[in-house]
Amino acid sequence: MAVRAGAEQAEKLRAAGLRPTRQRMALGRLLFKGQDRHVTAESLHAEASAQGVPVSLATVYNTLHQFTEAGLLRQVVVDGARTYFDTNTGDHHHFYCEDDGQLVDIAGDSIVVDGVPVPPRGAAVERIDVIVRLRRR
Amino acid sequence: MAVRAGAEQAEKLRAAGLRPTRQRMALGRLLFKGQDRHVTAESLHAEASAQGVPVSLATVYNTLHQFTEAGLLRQVVVDGARTYFDTNTGDHHHFYCEDDGQLVDIAGDSIVVDGVPVPPRGAAVERIDVIVRLRRR
DNA sequence: CTGTGTGCAAACTCTTTGCATAAGT
DNA sequence: ACTTATGCAAAGAGTTTGCACACAG
């Protein structure tokens, strides 16, 4: 089972054109086991370290970007200070709590955005992000 | 007319609880004369300098934040790298061109967002941001 | 006068980069 | 072996802060 999971990880990485190195395997396991999650480079680095996986912060950044380019992750911009990465790459939106920085998914088919004007000449819509900003009551 | 505008600026600042200093007057004039605009600290600082108004970058940052707290500006988060400030504080959304970093307003009554789930317990919706990300064709 | 604002430079945070070493195939 | 990835430490961008001086009321 552990072997099986490892093999799947390796396959996933290879399919993305990335060599299945120890670090990428370990980070991939943290990211893609279980349900969708939101991480920052810092949080993922801390998590890996806590589990005894030695990875440098620079490698975490590299890996997150490589995963993003490979379409395995998606970047979420909600706060200028830090960059979030989302393992859910499908069509969906976010709740963002400004007080604690927590990010929660909103299913893509739940929200409907209507009335988007035609984009300016020479530009095409790449994606529509909806961020529902929350505040503690 | 110039006098008149100056007096209006001063009044606007006083109303916001800010002393009408040279720098704040100058920045306010750049920001609020004419139509709505989007600036970054850098761009506004460059603009002020170009017009011969000596303002330090630190003061531009301070002023932008003070204006924002006073409700004269609104912060727009579209890119992790830099912070944009919008002189349009009303209900509206944005086109954001990832290629050149250009930000364009979308009237608030144009876009309709439907189906937003109820926020998690203990949280209240503060605002809904819609960002239509564009790419050059 | 008295308190607030400003400018400068240094500090700070998050992120990226260069280069020698290590690991993958 | 040959190539690509990693780690470290240093650089980099954007933003914030501390403190002495200047200005508004």
Side-chain angles (χ1 to χ4, degrees), chain B residues 15-96:
Chain B
L18 298 168
R19 290 216 297 222
T21 63
R22 297 190 198 307
Q23 291 80 347
R24 297 214 265 238
M25 292 284 282
L27 296 179
R29 221 170 288 127
L30 287 174
L31 289 170
F32 306 118
K33 288 284 171 71
Q35 61 196 20
D36 288 324
R37 37 183 327 206
H38 303 101
V39 302
T40 63
E42 288 285 356
S43 78
L44 185 59
H45 179 246
E47 201 176 329
S49 301
Q51 301 212 357
V53 182
V55 196
S56 76
L57 186 55
T59 295
V60 174
Y61 274 106
N62 287 338
T63 304
L64 286 172
H65 286 137
Q66 289 155 355
F67 283 10
T68 300
E69 271 186 53
L72 269 37
L73 290 178
R74 174 174 140 184
Q75 244 179 298
V76 183
V77 180
V78 282
D79 182 304
R82 58 180 124 242
T83 305
Y84 287 83
F85 292 86
D86 190 344
T87 59
N88 180 350
T89 56
D91 170 43
H92 70 288
H93 301 289
H94 296 98
F95 278 123
Y96 178 63

